[in-house]
Amino acid sequence: MIKQAVVALIQDGEKILLGKRSPDARGQVGKWENLGGEVEVGETPEQAVEREIKEELGIDFVPEKIVIDDNFSNGDDDWHVLIFEGTYTGTPIAMIPTETSEVRWFDKDKLGEVDLATYTREDFVRFGWIKE
């Protein structure tokens, strides 16, 4: 069975908000990533990304556009992932320290210097924010 995940691109001008994976996280510990999570039974992807961002950052996120619709396998599970652009209100903070130890704004033109999770780096290459 394919699992479904959603991700939010939270941007402010030329900056993007990323979360650092906590020491308690499953895999990619200490790496920076976009925030999101798994779609629960009965949820639409839009509802899921709104819920996940509220839970993880304490802010309201309004998804406006899907910028990536992709499938991948991590070796254990097969995933269908939607990445949303949208708007937000509030001040983001790391609400679940066992998942995300901190959040920070990064300049898009400096993302190549950031210790990114593999999947986040791949997305940023696709957007043209990181040159390889």
Side-chain angles (χ1 to χ4, degrees):
M1 182 172 141
I2 295 177
K3 295 183 177 184
Q4 188 167 30
V6 290
V7 175
L9 283 182
I10 301 172
Q11 303 175 77
D12 189 352
E14 289 302 308
K15 292 188 179 290
I16 186 157
L17 185 72
L18 299 175
K20 187 174 187 179
R21 292 187 58 80
S22 117
D24 298 325
R26 294 175 299 180
Q28 304 273 331
V29 171
K31 306 279 187 180
W32 293 91
E33 66 178 353
N34 289 308
L35 295 149
E38 195 168 348
V39 177
E40 294 180 355
V41 175
E43 278 184 320
T44 66
E46 291 80 6
Q47 290 168 329
V49 76
E50 290 170 0
R51 175 188 51 75
E52 286 284 348
I53 297 308
K54 186 70 164 181
E55 290 173 359
E56 294 182 8
L57 298 173
I59 62 174
D60 293 314
F61 179 78
V62 178
E64 296 174 345
K65 176 178 156 188
I66 295 170
V67 292
I68 290 182
D69 181 338
D70 203 2
N71 294 299
F72 80 96
S73 177
N74 64 7
D76 294 325
D77 297 298
D78 294 321
W79 290 90
H80 177 222
V81 180
L82 298 173
I83 300 179
F84 290 91
E85 282 184 336
T87 56
Y88 74 95
T89 54
T91 302
I93 59 171
M95 302 283 290
I96 308 173
T98 56
E99 293 179 13
T100 303
S101 59
E102 67 178 290
V103 293
R104 187 185 307 167
W105 291 100
F106 291 91
D107 291 325
K108 288 181 189 174
D109 63 356
K110 302 249 193 289
L111 290 171
E113 303 166 16
V114 179
D115 190 15
L116 297 169
T118 305
Y119 42 85
T120 299
R121 178 169 296 282
E122 290 170 358
D123 294 339
F124 292 169
V125 167
R126 288 171 75 173
F127 293 141
W129 299 344
I130 295 176
K131 306 290 185 235
E132 294 213 318

